[in-house]
Amino acid sequence: MITLTDVHKAFGPNGVLQGVNLTIPKGQSMVIIGGSGTGKSVLLKCILGLVTPDQGTIALEGTDVTKTERDTFLARFGMLFQGGALFDSMRVWENVAFRLLHGAKALPKPQARDIAIEKLRRVGLTPDKADLFPAELSGGMQKRVGLARAIAAEPEIIFFDEPTTGLDPIMAGVINTLIREIVTEMGVTAMTITHDMSSVRAIADRVAMLHDGLIRWTGPVAEMDAATDPYLQQFIHGRADGPIESVR
Amino acid sequence: MILARFLAALGRPVLAALAAVGRVAFFAAQTLRHLVTPPFYLREFGASLLQIGWFSLPVVGMTALFTGGALALQIFSGGSRFNAEAVVPQIVAIGMARELGPVLGGLMVAARVASSIAAEIGTMKVTEQVDALVTLSTHPMKYLTVPRVLAATLAVPVLVGVGDSIGIAGGWLVGISRLHFNSATYLKNTTDFLEFWDVGSGLVKGAVFGFIVALMGCYFGMNSGRGAQGVGAATKSAVVAASVLILAANYVLTGLFFTS
Ligand SMILES: Nc1ncnc2c1ncn2[C@@H]1O[C@H](COP(=O)(O)OP(=O)(O)OP(=O)(O)O)[C@@H](O)[C@H]1O
Ligand SMILES: [Mg+2]
C-alpha cells in the first residue's frame, strides 16, 4: 500500500501538486487520469524520489519512503517512463535485462538474455529486435521495450506512464491485457497514467483524477460513470465545454 | 541606498561563484567517496579507458609533434642571440616534459573528452535516462561519473608520457633536418640532461588534469539544463571550466614542485 499525504510540489511559481492525498491499495491497479500538464508524471516521480516533494509525506506500507534504505526500496519498483528513457548506447535486450545484469544478484549473460527475449515477446516484440539499438526502433516499439524493462525483474510495484500512447489499437489492447494479467496473476501493485478511456476501463481497479494540483475524484472504476463530479464527467466524455478550461 | 545596491550588485556574482565552487567541491568529494565503495562497474571503466585514453592518442601525438618541432626552432633562433644554440636538445626536453606535454595534452583532452562526456551525460539527463538508472537501482555517480573520472586520471598521464616522447622526437627531427645537429649528440644531450622529476612532475600534472577534465564533463552533464540548448550550454561550460582549471592547477603545481 502506498499512501500520499498532503504532497506539495512547485517548480518556481508553478504549483504543480498542491496537497495530494491518495492511497493505492496493495495488489490493485490504480489508474491516474487528468489533463495534460496537471502533474501526473511528477506525482509518480515524487513517489520514486526522483523529484523531492516540497511538503507532505509518502509512505510505503506505513513507513516513510525518505526513511527507508534507497536500494531495497527501489528494488521493489519498476517504472516505464513517458518518453521511454531507453539507454541509447545499449542494445534492446541489454536495456530490458539491465537490472538482471547489474547489482548483487546479477545473472549470467545468456540467462539474462533469455529472460529479456521472453519479456520482449510479452510486449509483442519478436526476438530479432533484441540486438538492435533503441534508435533503430519506431516510437511505439521503444515504448514497448521500456515496458519490457519495467517488468523484467518482476518487481512488486510497477508504474506505467502512458503505456499505450503511440501504439496502434491492437497493440494497445495487448498491453492493456498484459498490465491486467500482471496485476491479477502476479499480485503486482500497478499505477498507470493514461489518457485513453478504453485503457482505463481495461486496466483499472480504481481511478483517481488529478486536477489543479489536487485529487479531484477517486473511487472504484465501476463507480466512475455514475459519479456526479462535473470535472470527471467532462474528462471521461471528452467534452470541450465544462469546468476544465481547454486552454492551459 | 545607492551604496547598498552597488554592494549587492558586487556581492551577488561573488556569492554565486562561491556557491558554484562549493557545488563542484561537493561533487568531487562524492565522486571520491563512490570511487572507494562498491559496486564497481568494470565494463564502464574499460569502455571509458578506451574512449579517453586510446582514442585521444592521435590528437595528443599530433599536438606534441608540432609543438616539439616549433620549440626547437624557437630556442635555436632565440639562443643564437647569445651563442647558445647548442642548448636546443636540453631545453626542448625540459620544456616538453615539465610544461608543454602535460598542459597542451591536457587542453587537447579537455577539448575532446570534457565535451563528449558533458554532451553524453547531459543528453542522458534530459531524456530521463539518468532517472531510469536510478529506478533500476544503479547510482548514476557510480555508473557514469566514477568510471570516467578514474579512467581519465589514469589515462592522461600515459598520454602525457607518450606526448613527451613524441614532442622530443619532433624537436630532434627538426634539429637534425633543419638545424644541422648531429643525431647522436642531440639524443645524448637529451638523455644525459633530463632528470627523473622533470618527467615525473609532468605525469603527476597529467593525472590531475585528467581528473579535472572528466570531473568537469560529468559535473556539467549531470547538471545540464533542459533540452538541446541545455546540453549545448553544459558542453560549452565543461570545456571552458576544464581548460581554465587546468591552467590554474598547472600554475599551482609548478609552484609546488619547482620553487623551494
Ligand atoms: N523538472 C521540471 N522542471 C520544471 N517544471 C517541471 C519539471 N517537470 C515538470 N514540470 C512542470 O510540471 C507540470 C506537470 O508536468 P507533468 O509532466 O507531471 O505533466 P503530466 O500530467 O504528466 O502531463 P502529460 O499528460 O502531458 O504527460 C508542467 O507544467 C511542467 O511544466
Ligand atoms: Mg506525463
Side-chain angles (χ1 to χ4, degrees):
Chain A
M1 190 171 77
I2 304 168
T3 323
L4 293 95
T5 317
D6 196 31
V7 173
H8 286 68
K9 178 68 198 180
F11 295 100
N14 179 11
V16 180
L17 304 178
Q18 300 174 4
V20 170
N21 291 296
L22 187 65
T23 302
I24 300 109
K26 196 180 167 86
Q28 287 204 17
S29 170
M30 169 70 90
V31 170
I32 312 283
I33 56 174
S36 179
T38 48
K40 304 181 297 297
S41 299
V42 169
L43 186 68
L44 291 193
K45 288 181 190 170
C46 280
I47 300 175
L48 288 169
L50 298 172
V51 167
T52 317
D54 301 329
Q55 195 186 314
T57 52
I58 299 168
L60 175 62
E61 267 124 46
T63 36
D64 190 331
V65 296
T66 55
K67 297 192 174 66
T68 53
E69 220 271 304
R70 263 314 257 165
D71 282 345
T72 43
F73 172 76
L74 286 168
R76 303 171 67 177
F77 282 88
M79 165 92 182
L80 164 66
F81 285 83
Q82 188 168 357
L86 299 178
F87 304 125
D88 43 30
S89 60
M90 283 175 217
R91 292 178 194 283
V92 164
W93 80 266
E94 290 171 313
N95 264 281
V96 176
F98 190 90
R99 200 197 268 279
L100 307 171
L101 288 169
H102 296 87
K105 285 171 279 184
L107 296 178
K109 253 190 179 184
Q111 201 180 334
R113 191 187 148 92
D114 287 346
I115 295 174
I117 287 175
E118 159 61 16
K119 300 294 171 187
L120 286 170
R121 197 191 56 72
R122 291 206 72 179
V123 297
L125 287 167
T126 49
D128 58 311
K129 307 292 186 300
D131 288 310
L132 298 179
F133 284 95
E136 297 169 319
L137 301 179
S138 75
M141 287 161 130
Q142 291 182 13
K143 196 84 193 219
R144 286 184 281 150
V145 175
L147 195 69
R149 184 174 69 183
I151 63 172
E154 301 184 350
E156 296 164 51
I157 306 155
I158 315 184
F159 293 169
F160 302 100
D161 197 341
E162 306 198 5
T164 55
T165 31
L167 302 185
D168 63 71
I170 299 169
M171 212 33 94
V174 169
I175 299 305
N176 288 338
T177 314
L178 172 68
I179 294 177
R180 193 62 244 175
E181 269 174 25
I182 292 174
V183 174
T184 41
E185 286 170 18
M186 288 149 64
V188 161
T189 309
M191 206 165 158
T192 311
I193 295 173
T194 184
H195 292 294
D196 176 4
M197 290 314 296
S198 61
S199 283
V200 176
R201 292 175 209 283
I203 298 173
D205 291 316
R206 295 179 70 82
V207 178
M209 180 173 176
L210 187 65
H211 183 73
D212 266 349
L214 295 168
I215 298 295
R216 182 80 217 178
W217 183 86
T218 182
V221 66
E223 291 172 16
M224 184 174 71
D225 290 307
T228 52
D229 187 281
Y231 291 83
L232 179 70
Q233 285 305 320
Q234 185 191 350
F235 193 88
I236 61 182
H237 294 109
R239 286 194 284 260
D241 50 327
I244 307 174
E245 309 101 78
S246 45
V247 180
R248 280 170 267 142
Chain B
M1 191 60 208
I2 292 172
L3 185 70
R5 214 178 295 163
F6 174 72
L7 286 176
L10 210 65
R12 223 170 286 126
V14 174
L15 284 180
L18 285 177
V21 169
R23 280 195 300 271
V24 171
F26 180 68
F27 190 83
Q30 269 191 308
T31 305
L32 293 177
R33 185 167 64 80
H34 288 298
L35 182 68
V36 293
T37 49
F40 307 108
Y41 295 97
L42 288 178
R43 232 187 87 177
E44 295 307 301
F45 171 68
S48 301
L49 213 51
L50 195 70
Q51 199 58 42
I52 296 169
W54 181 248
F55 291 121
S56 294
L57 267 178
V59 62
V60 170
M62 286 304 231
T63 306
L65 185 69
F66 290 121
T67 306
L71 196 58
L73 291 179
Q74 289 284 20
I75 294 160
F76 189 81
S77 101
S80 68
R81 290 182 196 162
F82 42 93
N83 298 323
E85 297 95 328
V87 297
V88 167
Q90 293 92 323
I91 303 292
V92 165
I94 214 171
M96 279 313 296
R98 281 191 183 188
E99 279 295 315
L100 294 171
V103 172
L104 291 181
L107 290 176
M108 292 316 276
V109 174
R112 205 188 150 271
V113 173
S115 57
S116 80
I117 291 179
E120 187 183 0
I121 296 183
T123 305
M124 291 186 71
K125 175 90 185 172
V126 302
T127 56
E128 298 184 318
Q129 293 178 51
V130 174
D131 284 342
L133 271 181
V134 174
T135 64
L136 293 166
S137 304
T138 303
H139 202 299
M141 289 292 276
K142 284 197 195 315
Y143 189 78
L144 298 173
T145 305
V146 166
R148 285 168 174 77
V149 170
L150 186 63
T153 308
L154 297 176
V156 176
V158 178
L159 285 171
V160 167
V162 174
D164 288 352
S165 320
I166 295 177
I168 290 171
W172 166 80
L173 215 60
V174 170
I176 59 166
S177 61
R178 292 188 59 182
L179 308 175
H180 313 295
F181 276 90
N182 173 283
S183 171
T185 324
Y186 191 107
L187 289 178
K188 186 168 169 15
N189 280 345
T190 300
T191 47
D192 284 357
F193 188 75
L194 207 55
E195 288 174 11
F196 170 75
W197 187 233
D198 293 331
V199 178
S201 68
L203 300 186
V204 174
K205 282 181 177 180
V208 174
F209 299 166
F211 180 80
I212 289 173
V213 164
L215 192 77
M216 289 300 109
C218 293
Y219 174 78
F220 285 100
M222 288 285 190
N223 291 290
S224 168
R226 316 209 96 201
Q229 207 172 18
V231 176
T235 309
K236 176 200 67 189
S237 306
V239 176
V240 171
S243 306
V244 172
L245 280 179
I246 283 177
L247 295 172
N250 179 57
Y251 177 76
V252 173
L253 290 177
T254 305
L256 219 60
F257 292 158
F258 296 107
T259 53
S260 41

